[in-house]
Amino acid sequence: MLPPAIKFPFAAVAGQNRFKQALTLAAVDPLLGGVLISGPRGSAKSTLARALAGLLPDGQQVFVNLPLGASEEMLVGTLDLQRILDQQKLAFRPGLFARAHGGVLYVDEVNLLPDHLVDLLLDVTASGVNTIERDGVSHRHAAEFLLVGTMNPEEGELRPQLLDRFGLMVELDGVYTIEERMEIVRRREAFDRDPHAFCLAYAAQQDDLAARIDKARRLLPEVDCPAPAREAIARRCLAAKVEGVRADVAWHRAARAQAAWNARTSVSEEDLDAVAELVLAHRRQTPPQHSPPPPSPPPPPPPGGGTDSFENAEGNRDATSNPRGGDWGRMEPEQQKALTPLPLNLQQEAAQPTPSVASTQVSSSARGSVRGGKKSLLEKSGRPDWFATLIANLCRWPPQKLLYKRRRSGQPVLHFIVLDTSASTLSANLLSQAKAAVLGIAEKAYPAREQLALMVFGNQQVQTLLPPARVPRRLRERLDSIGGGGGTPMREALMQAQRTLQRLSRRCTGLQLRTYLVTDGRTRQSLDNIRLPGQCTLIDIEQGAVKRGRGRELARELGAQYFSLPPLGRIDHYRERI
């Protein structure tokens, strides 16, 4: 049997003071609801999350990882088949929720977690109890844990329902000085060379941290939040235009935990300021009026640091992107007149597509019927459902009747739009029609709970305006803010889109990709050797009976289906017909 792996010490990670603060506060008060960490790869996210479990009290030093590919049975638990066969008795085999009770449940790339697992996670985090009721068998057990989730905002947003469950959030930029980078590498080399000696060097600081957390936990019930502090929380939450009062509750708990961490029995203004950004980062609807004061680090940080991943983040974070999702927002009447969604029926209007070598579409007979982006539940998967089979056969073996699992519904769908904003789209109101087409796609994606991503190119540059996520609120306003001009770097944009889509396909098994190139076709660049994964459609926004652009030719080069917007004078008639 292999010895347990040695974890990089919490105290040995340099910097990341706000990250450390959030984790230690959640350890002081587990009722805070956990911590969400947003940032690029190589930011020590998983290192600190794993190391946190070692600072918890004895009996709670449990770290459980929830993988993206986990099944429902792995998460909630299932029947113990071996015991049923050996003893002919129904027995429950605990899942990840049971194993994580009292410790840390870690979800890496939580924004990519399938919807059915997110629903289970929401239920358990809200109640603290895992309930399994299937085929006449009922089981309940406590499931209270410190939830730690990490995400890279470039790879998609997080469902709003789950986002709000996290009590605290930290946004990391992954920027290090030359000295910090050198020290990180030096410490990692020292850890890899002799893990035991490295951990021994930090043992005293680790013990001090664990003792301080334990002391703060015992002091927490005595910490009071006076009326002026409660009023300040309410006023500042109101100014940030947060939804509901969960932010108020989280701020109150975080401020009390901060006071306990500093061995005080009354919340001060300093405590409120120290946790403000942690509470509001994922909830505020208005930008902060000033930069938050730097937090006091939880422990006296030693020099140096470490991480178990040193990959460079791909691409740049866009200033307008954030990890929050939202509902389909309403617009003021004058904005609705300025930009009205164009209802697109691409399957009806489009010409037959040229077969794409990268197409991931399969026939409905092979994968089950698809309605609104979600797969029908009526088809069996061909995999035996041993749980249901044993119940149906009263635990007799071999079973007389074999039951099968149904295919899982809700295959994730991503609409990836590449929008041309070059100077040629400014004439004849073409850019407005292109934006209207984007809204038309978004309005079809929203009710089906499908994701949307938007990349724009023009003025000799490519920009990711929206990372893959649910249709965001105020999408019309974001589109209204897009300007046009400059050259047409279409090939560069599609090459970048190809790399992004290939990466997303690898990370999210079963992802259905629908890619749209919205352009007037005014480019001399060749698109040979570019193949976008999934179903690809070119939407030609050029007007006129004789088109000077290369829309149809570009569609053939991409192996995409071709769709041409109707003339401007026929759009109202087109909307009525659709």
Side-chain angles (χ1 to χ4, degrees):
M1 182 176 179
L2 293 175
I6 300 177
K7 298 175 182 177
F8 199 96
F10 189 95
V13 179
Q16 305 289 24
N17 288 338
R18 192 173 293 279
F19 186 2
K20 291 180 179 178
Q21 178 197 20
L23 291 176
T24 51
L25 292 181
V28 170
D29 186 1
L31 295 180
L32 261 171
V35 180
L36 175 66
I37 306 102
S38 173
R41 290 174 292 278
S43 302
K45 300 190 296 291
S46 57
T47 300
L48 281 171
R50 290 187 179 93
L52 177 65
L55 300 178
L56 298 180
D58 292 339
Q60 299 182 20
Q61 297 181 353
V62 178
F63 180 88
V64 176
N65 180 46
L66 197 169
L68 291 178
S71 65
E72 185 174 324
E73 290 79 6
M74 288 175 58
L75 193 57
V76 302
T78 186
L79 284 179
D80 189 333
L81 296 179
Q82 189 64 47
R83 189 169 176 184
I84 291 174
L85 297 176
D86 292 344
Q87 305 177 14
Q88 288 75 50
K89 293 182 180 180
L90 291 179
F92 178 73
R93 173 174 291 177
L96 298 179
F97 282 151
R99 289 170 50 195
H101 179 58
V104 177
L105 180 64
Y106 174 72
V107 188
D108 194 15
E109 306 291 358
V110 64
N111 51 320
L112 301 181
L113 199 66
D115 278 351
H116 68 284
L117 297 187
V118 171
D119 294 336
L120 294 172
L121 195 58
L122 285 170
D123 290 341
V124 172
T125 54
S127 64
V129 177
N130 181 33
T131 302
I132 305 98
E133 293 184 355
R134 314 179 37 175
D135 302 306
V137 175
S138 178
H139 184 83
R140 289 166 55 91
H141 66 78
E144 297 179 348
F145 42 76
L146 198 166
L147 179 63
V148 179
T150 68
M151 60 176 286
N152 183 347
E154 293 181 356
E155 296 181 347
E157 300 181 357
L158 184 63
R159 276 179 59 179
Q161 299 91 332
L162 181 56
L163 179 70
D164 198 35
R165 289 290 179 185
F166 285 97
L168 307 176
M169 178 179 175
V170 183
E171 293 180 300
L172 306 176
D173 56 17
V175 176
Y176 301 94
T177 65
I178 293 177
E179 291 75 15
E180 288 171 335
R181 287 177 174 272
M182 293 171 61
E183 186 62 21
I184 287 172
V185 174
R186 188 188 70 80
R187 290 191 172 271
R188 184 67 204 191
E189 288 177 341
F191 176 78
D192 292 339
R193 185 167 51 250
D194 192 340
H196 290 280
F198 186 85
C199 293
L200 185 62
Y202 284 89
Q205 295 183 51
Q206 288 283 107
D207 291 342
D208 289 344
L209 273 174
R212 189 173 176 183
I213 289 175
D214 183 64
K215 181 179 179 181
R217 277 190 169 195
R218 288 184 279 107
L219 180 63
L220 186 63
E222 304 176 21
V223 177
D224 175 59
C225 186
R230 294 175 183 270
E231 181 179 353
I233 290 174
R235 289 183 180 277
R236 294 173 71 173
C237 285
L238 190 63
K241 297 184 179 180
V242 300
E243 296 181 353
V245 295
R246 189 165 284 154
D248 302 63
V249 174
W251 204 335
H252 172 259
R253 288 190 179 279
R256 291 181 65 243
Q258 178 74 16
W261 174 258
N262 289 293
R264 295 193 296 266
T265 57
S266 181
V267 171
S268 66
E269 184 177 355
E270 178 185 353
D271 297 321
L272 298 183
D273 291 339
V275 301
E277 189 60 23
L278 298 176
V279 175
L280 296 180
H282 55 311
R283 295 186 172 98
R284 65 160 51 94
Q285 303 297 320
T286 58
Q289 299 299 316
H290 55 80
S291 300
S296 55
T307 178
D308 56 3
S309 175
F310 292 94
E311 301 178 29
N312 292 325
E314 297 182 23
N316 298 318
R317 289 185 59 185
D318 183 73
T320 62
S321 66
N322 62 67
R324 298 188 302 157
D327 298 328
W328 180 256
R330 295 184 178 272
M331 291 187 63
E332 299 300 325
E334 63 270 17
Q335 291 175 311
Q336 292 178 354
K337 294 178 181 178
L339 185 57
T340 304
L342 180 60
L344 300 178
N345 191 337
L346 300 179
Q347 296 299 328
Q348 175 180 334
E349 296 292 326
Q352 290 296 320
T354 302
S356 170
V357 297
S359 175
T360 61
Q361 302 302 307
V362 296
S363 65
S364 61
S365 61
R367 299 287 293 272
S369 60
V370 177
R371 298 175 183 175
K374 294 188 178 297
K375 193 178 298 181
S376 170
L377 286 173
L378 300 179
E379 189 173 341
K380 295 179 181 178
S381 66
R383 298 166 52 206
D385 188 336
W386 296 115
F387 189 107
T389 296
L390 289 169
I391 299 299
N393 290 272
L394 301 177
C395 298
R396 291 192 298 267
W397 194 264
Q400 298 178 358
K401 181 181 180 181
L402 194 61
L403 302 182
Y404 294 89
K405 295 182 178 181
R406 297 190 184 277
R407 291 189 184 275
R408 182 163 303 284
S409 63
Q411 288 282 60
V413 177
L414 170 63
H415 298 267
F416 195 98
I417 304 172
V418 184
L419 177 62
D420 185 353
T421 62
S422 59
S424 61
T425 65
L426 297 180
S427 61
N429 204 29
L430 298 186
L431 186 55
S432 295
Q433 293 306 308
K435 295 177 182 179
V438 173
L439 284 181
I441 296 170
E443 284 199 337
K444 287 184 177 293
Y446 174 72
R449 300 178 69 184
E450 297 168 351
Q451 292 192 332
L452 181 78
L454 178 60
M455 178 182 292
V456 298
F457 65 95
N459 201 21
Q460 297 301 338
Q461 61 181 354
V462 181
Q463 180 184 17
T464 298
L465 186 66
L466 294 173
R470 297 286 172 80
V471 177
R473 68 175 67 237
R474 302 186 182 91
L475 177 59
R476 292 177 178 86
E477 288 90 330
R478 293 196 187 187
L479 290 174
D480 276 331
S481 67
I482 299 176
T488 312
M490 183 180 296
R491 182 174 179 84
E492 179 185 348
L494 292 176
M495 291 289 288
Q496 184 171 325
Q498 179 177 266
R499 291 192 297 268
T500 301
L501 292 170
Q502 290 173 344
R503 185 177 69 247
L504 292 173
S505 296
R506 289 193 298 267
R507 297 192 68 89
C508 186
T509 304
L511 179 65
Q512 296 186 31
L513 296 173
R514 299 175 187 173
T515 310
Y516 311 85
L517 172 58
V518 185
T519 180
D520 62 356
R522 299 291 189 89
T523 180
R524 297 180 180 179
Q525 296 179 336
S526 170
L527 304 184
D528 288 341
N529 302 322
I530 297 179
R531 284 294 184 269
L532 301 178
Q535 176 182 304
C536 184
T537 302
L538 187 145
I539 301 177
D540 191 349
I541 61 174
E542 187 179 16
Q543 299 293 308
V546 179
K547 298 182 182 295
R548 294 187 294 170
R550 300 173 50 232
R552 287 187 181 276
E553 182 182 346
L554 294 173
R556 285 194 297 270
E557 292 180 3
L558 284 175
Q561 61 181 358
Y562 175 81
F563 179 88
S564 179
L565 292 187
L568 294 176
R570 293 174 49 199
I571 284 182
D572 290 337
H573 172 70
Y574 175 79
R575 288 195 177 98
E576 293 175 1
R577 181 166 60 84
I578 294 297

